[in-house]
Amino acid sequence: MSDFSQKTIESFFQDHGVTDADQKAKLLPLLTDVIYDYNLQVVNYEKEADAYRKKQIIEELAETEAKIKSIFEAGNQ
């Protein structure tokens, strides 16, 4: 099974190579709610005992990660 952990907004900035303060300020309002949802999904994953539901949460996490990636890609254009 995959291991997931909660991440800070700053860790997502580091993962995507965003170091410029102006760029961070531009992306912050777009990312805040999505990263909150990601971390909430991680908590739900950690608490879930049912294997089928865990698989669903993994799919939700993958979709949320893709959404975060697309926000970063759009912000870098």
Side-chain angles (χ1 to χ4, degrees):
M1 275 287 174
S2 301
D3 290 322
F4 296 99
S5 62
Q6 295 185 57
K7 295 182 180 181
T8 64
I9 291 175
E10 188 61 37
S11 69
F12 279 101
F13 285 141
Q14 290 174 355
D15 291 347
H16 292 276
V18 176
T19 57
D20 181 63
D22 291 334
Q23 186 71 8
K24 288 180 180 181
K26 178 183 168 188
L27 291 170
L28 189 61
L30 303 172
L31 289 169
T32 302
D33 289 340
V34 180
I35 292 174
Y36 176 82
D37 290 342
Y38 174 88
N39 286 329
L40 191 57
Q41 290 167 350
V42 169
V43 170
N44 290 336
Y45 175 80
E46 291 170 347
K47 290 181 180 180
E48 188 58 58
D50 181 63
Y52 178 74
R53 180 64 188 128
K54 274 192 160 196
K55 184 179 177 189
Q56 288 178 320
I57 295 171
I58 290 170
E59 292 173 9
E60 292 170 9
L61 281 163
E63 290 172 7
T64 304
E65 287 175 336
K67 185 173 184 178
I68 291 168
K69 182 180 176 183
S70 71
I71 291 170
F72 275 105
E73 288 173 351
N76 287 332
Q77 293 179 353

